Amino acid sequence: MDIQQILRDIKKELRTSMNGVASARMRESGINYKLNFGVELPRLQQIATEFPSDHDLAQALWKENARECKILAGILQPEATFYPEIADIWVETMPTAELAQLTTMHLFCRMPSAAQKAFEWMADEREMFLLCGLLLITRLLMQDIAMNERAENEFLDQAECALNHSNLHIKRAAISAIQKFMNQSETNWNKGEIILSRSLNS
C-alpha cells in the first residue's frame, strides 16, 4: 500500500468537496488549521468509505495539519491497533473541541480500553484530556455502560468539578455526561439532579 499516494488521493477528494464559506466561518469561530477545506461530516463519512481502514494510513492522516485529514484519521483507524499510548498522543495533540467530539464518536468509544481511558482522562488536569474524558464517558453511558459504586462516585465527583470549569466546552460536556447518567435510572436521575442544582446554587 502506497500511503503517500492514498494521501494525495484523499486530498484531491477534499479539494473537490471544498466549502469555502464553511471554512471561513470556522476560522472566524476560532477553528484554526493550516488547511481547512470546510467539508461537512456527511461528505467526509462518504469519502472514508472509498479508502481502506488501515492503521498506517490513519496515523499518517493524523500527522497532517488539516482538519479533514484528522477527522478521517479517527474514522479510518482500526480500534484493534489503536493502543492506549497512541490514544494519549492523539489527545495530547488534539487541536480543537470539534475534533475531540468527532474522534470520540468515531474512534475513542470503540477502543478496548475506552472505560479505563475515560476515567484516566477525566482525572487529568489538562483541559483537552478532561474534555475527551467527559465526551468519552458520555458515549459509554449512551451505550449503557455499567459502573460499580466506586466508579460511579468517581465519575460524579469529576463531573461536578467540571461543571465549575472556566472552559465552556468542558462545562457543556460535563452537563451532557450527567444527563446521560440520569437517563439510566430513577436513582441516577435523583443523584444527577442534586449535583446540577448544587452547581446552579454555588
Side-chain angles (χ1 to χ4, degrees):
M1 181 184 294
D2 187 342
I3 298 296
Q4 292 307 311
Q5 181 57 53
I6 296 176
L7 283 175
R8 286 191 289 271
D9 292 342
I10 288 174
K11 288 176 183 176
K12 183 178 178 181
E13 289 279 356
L14 295 175
R15 279 191 290 271
T16 302
S17 305
M18 185 172 181
N19 183 331
V21 174
S23 177
R25 196 178 300 126
M26 287 181 208
R27 280 196 301 275
E28 289 167 5
S29 67
I31 299 177
N32 295 314
Y33 293 90
K34 184 178 179 181
L35 280 175
N36 184 345
F37 296 95
V39 182
E40 296 180 349
L41 184 58
R43 175 57 184 146
L44 285 173
Q45 291 170 326
Q46 185 181 9
I47 290 172
T49 64
E50 302 169 15
F51 296 94
S53 177
D54 177 82
H55 176 83
D56 291 336
L57 174 59
Q59 295 302 311
L61 282 164
W62 184 261
K63 290 174 184 174
E64 295 285 324
N65 192 5
R67 171 182 171 268
E68 289 75 11
C69 288
K70 288 186 180 293
I71 294 172
L72 285 170
I75 299 174
L76 293 174
Q77 171 66 51
E79 62 266 31
T81 55
F82 194 64
Y83 305 118
E85 57 270 22
I86 301 176
D88 289 336
I89 292 169
W90 279 35
V91 176
E92 196 169 4
T93 56
M94 189 79 68
T96 66
E98 179 208 30
L99 188 60
Q101 292 168 345
L102 294 175
T103 308
T104 300
M105 178 176 70
H106 288 119
L107 177 59
F108 291 163
C109 68
R110 296 188 287 111
M111 296 187 297
S113 60
Q116 175 192 334
K117 281 299 172 189
F119 282 94
E120 186 180 311
W121 291 345
M122 279 193 296
D124 198 303
E125 293 182 356
R126 289 170 290 180
E127 288 191 358
M128 191 54 76
F129 280 87
L130 174 55
L131 176 60
C132 286
L134 290 165
L135 292 170
L136 181 51
I137 199 69
T138 301
R139 283 277 158 188
L140 296 177
L141 287 166
M142 289 168 67
Q143 297 168 11
D144 288 326
I145 182 178
M147 288 190 275
N148 60 32
E149 186 178 357
R150 180 180 175 184
E152 185 180 292
N153 289 335
E154 183 180 346
F155 157 67
L156 292 173
D157 285 346
Q158 297 291 356
E160 184 168 9
C161 287
L163 288 173
N164 300 311
H165 204 284
S166 59
N167 185 309
L168 187 57
H169 294 295
I170 290 173
K171 278 186 177 180
R172 286 174 177 166
I175 292 170
S176 181
I178 292 169
Q179 288 173 337
K180 292 296 183 291
F181 172 79
M182 291 169 69
N183 289 338
Q184 288 193 325
S185 69
E186 186 177 347
T187 301
N188 288 9
W189 183 273
N190 294 333
K191 289 178 181 179
E193 270 199 327
I194 291 169
I195 288 171
L196 291 175
S197 63
R198 222 165 26 214
S199 173
L200 286 172
N201 296 324
S202 62

